[in-house]
Amino acid sequence: MLVGIALAALALPVVAWTGYLAALALLSRVTPAPAAPDPPRTRFEIVVPAHDEEQGIGTTVASLLAIDYPASLRRVTVVADNCTDATAARASEAGVDVLERNDPSRRGKGYALAYAFERALARGAPAGDRDAERDDAGVDAIVVVDADTRVTPNLLRAFDARFRDGARAAQAYYCVANASASWRTRLMHIGFTLFHDVRSRARERVGVSAGLRGNGMAFSVPLLREVPHEAFSVVEDVEYGIRLGLAGRRVHYAGEARVFGDMVSSEQASRSQRRRWEGGRLLLARRHAPGLLAEGVRRRSLLLVDLALDLLVPPITYVALAALVGASASLLWVALAHGPWWTALPWGVALLGFATYVLRGIWLARVGPRVVLDLAWAPVYMVWKVILAVRSSPSREGEWVRTAREGEKP
């Protein structure tokens, strides 16, 4: 009896995690985008933080210059941050403004963004649009796009619609560009769909913060003045999203616009990427989740409570592993030791919630029948990530940890 009670009790946190994820899946119906009346009005500066990206920066810049938006209302600026290659030269040749930053004591994407934001807020308006009665910074909003990214042409129009509808921050749908490269990138495509699309759709529908994803995010100038971008961890997007939430500001989801980033398909290159993402989130969860939850309850703020819950839910691999191991152990106990049937009940509920969440992601990812073969690799992927977590050391804050791109030696 005591073993059965212990097994059932161990299921409670897993049921809470999967129940939260299932709720997001059920709420992830599309929310209609606000209408964007012509002509566009919002003046944008697109900031591209780059560290040793000479090979791909030209492609990214070309994608940004091809955006369907008046040239007089947009400007592209590449921040060549502590580069040791020709990133600055390649970006300049591509026809955009370049800021070169060299500060060995303060390295990392967060510092590059803070540097670019400070200068963007102080610079004049884009050529051809110097309206003295508009905001004195010359731009109305700043967009962040990573240096290995392609974007859909409607990116700025989607953000323009959000800002003219009253938003102060917005996030596009961040997708995997090379989903068909390998089973690993196809699984990452499903994972991105779950984390970036399913969760964001649900949160937009409920009216809480859709979250920042680090790539394809936009901020109004007044917001950056109200809540300065002082986020310097390896997951600076999550960190700044928390700061916005504490200030009562939510991030709106512009899911009809997409940014595509290349994911590495090799195990060796994936290793540093996963360590950085998951290690950084774990560190922030330890630092902020309890305080966010307490503050959310105190303020009666669903926005803050949701931010805390998002941090408290482990990566999907660990949720799946916990549910599978717990369900197997409880069923084994019932079958071999003739334990009570209710021992396995909470684990069954956890598996049902997890399946609801994953199936919604698979549906939205549009991966086709091949997903059956890709999911067969999921146990290998889970074991790899557990081993990686055990061997990982904490990432240093304030550092560029660059992942080798496809075709480069990691």
Side-chain angles (χ1 to χ4, degrees), residues 122-400:
R123 291 173 65 178
D129 189 46
R130 300 186 182 277
D131 185 343
E133 297 182 359
R134 303 282 298 274
D135 189 278
D136 62 352
V139 293
D140 302 307
I142 299 175
V143 178
V144 177
V145 172
D146 281 349
D148 60 342
T149 300
R150 273 82 71 200
V151 306
T152 54
N154 66 334
L155 182 70
L156 295 187
R157 288 184 180 272
F159 287 150
D160 174 61
R162 296 314 188 286
F163 288 125
R164 293 172 69 173
D165 199 44
R168 293 293 188 94
Q171 172 66 54
Y173 179 13
Y174 182 12
C175 312
V176 175
N178 57 332
S180 61
S182 71
W183 65 267
R184 191 185 304 275
T185 57
R186 284 189 290 273
L187 288 180
M188 291 183 71
H189 172 52
I190 295 172
F192 267 47
T193 303
L194 287 167
F195 195 78
H196 294 169
D197 194 32
V198 172
R199 298 192 188 195
S200 296
R201 284 170 177 244
R203 290 178 177 131
E204 182 68 19
R205 186 177 176 190
V206 173
V208 296
S209 183
L212 296 174
R213 309 306 178 196
N215 193 6
M217 50 189 186
F219 311 105
S220 72
V221 164
L223 178 67
L224 288 171
R225 288 180 173 153
E226 176 190 347
V227 187
H229 190 279
E230 297 171 352
F232 306 112
S233 70
V234 291
V235 282
E236 82 296 323
D237 52 330
V238 181
E239 185 181 356
Y240 188 58
I242 291 171
R243 297 193 66 215
L244 292 180
L246 289 170
R249 300 297 185 181
R250 80 179 185 95
V251 179
H252 294 246
Y253 185 48
E256 74 273 23
R258 301 189 176 196
V259 295
F260 297 88
D262 283 323
M263 299 296 120
V264 291
S265 57
S266 69
E267 187 276 336
Q268 186 177 356
S270 295
R271 197 181 304 156
S272 67
Q273 197 174 61
R274 303 314 303 183
R275 282 173 173 166
R276 181 170 73 253
W277 289 348
E278 296 181 2
R281 281 185 63 87
L282 179 60
L283 185 62
L284 285 183
R286 290 173 177 171
R287 288 180 178 177
H288 298 289
L292 277 173
L293 189 58
E295 187 67 9
V297 171
R298 188 186 70 82
R299 294 190 197 177
R300 298 182 181 178
S301 169
L302 182 60
L303 187 156
L304 292 180
V305 169
D306 180 70
L307 284 173
L309 293 177
D310 184 55
L311 287 174
L312 289 170
V313 175
I316 187 173
T317 298
Y318 306 127
V319 175
L321 192 60
L324 290 172
V325 170
S328 300
S330 63
L331 288 173
L332 193 63
W333 169 253
V334 171
L336 298 182
H338 304 289
W341 63 271
W342 48 259
T343 300
L345 181 61
W347 291 105
V349 172
L351 287 175
L352 179 61
F354 182 78
T356 301
Y357 178 62
V358 171
L359 289 174
R360 178 58 171 157
I362 290 174
W363 174 261
L364 292 176
R366 302 290 191 266
V367 288
R370 186 168 183 172
V371 69
V372 177
L373 295 176
D374 294 330
L375 289 176
W377 285 98
V380 176
Y381 191 60
M382 286 192 290
V383 171
W384 171 74
K385 285 186 65 177
V386 170
I387 294 173
L388 186 63
V390 171
R391 293 180 176 177
S392 291
S393 57
S395 296
R396 292 175 292 176
E397 294 191 17
E399 282 287 346
W400 280 103

Side-chain angles (χ1 to χ4, degrees), residues 45-46 48 50 57 61 75-81 83 86-101 115-116 119 123:
E45 175 144 6
I46 305 173
V48 184
I57 193 65
V61 168
R75 175 171 57 215
V76 179
T77 300
V78 171
V79 185
D81 189 79
C83 292
T87 296
R90 298 290 88 79
S92 183
E93 290 168 4
V96 298
D97 295 338
V98 178
L99 291 175
E100 293 191 66
R101 178 179 178 273
Y115 181 81
R119 279 149 183 77
R123 291 173 65 178

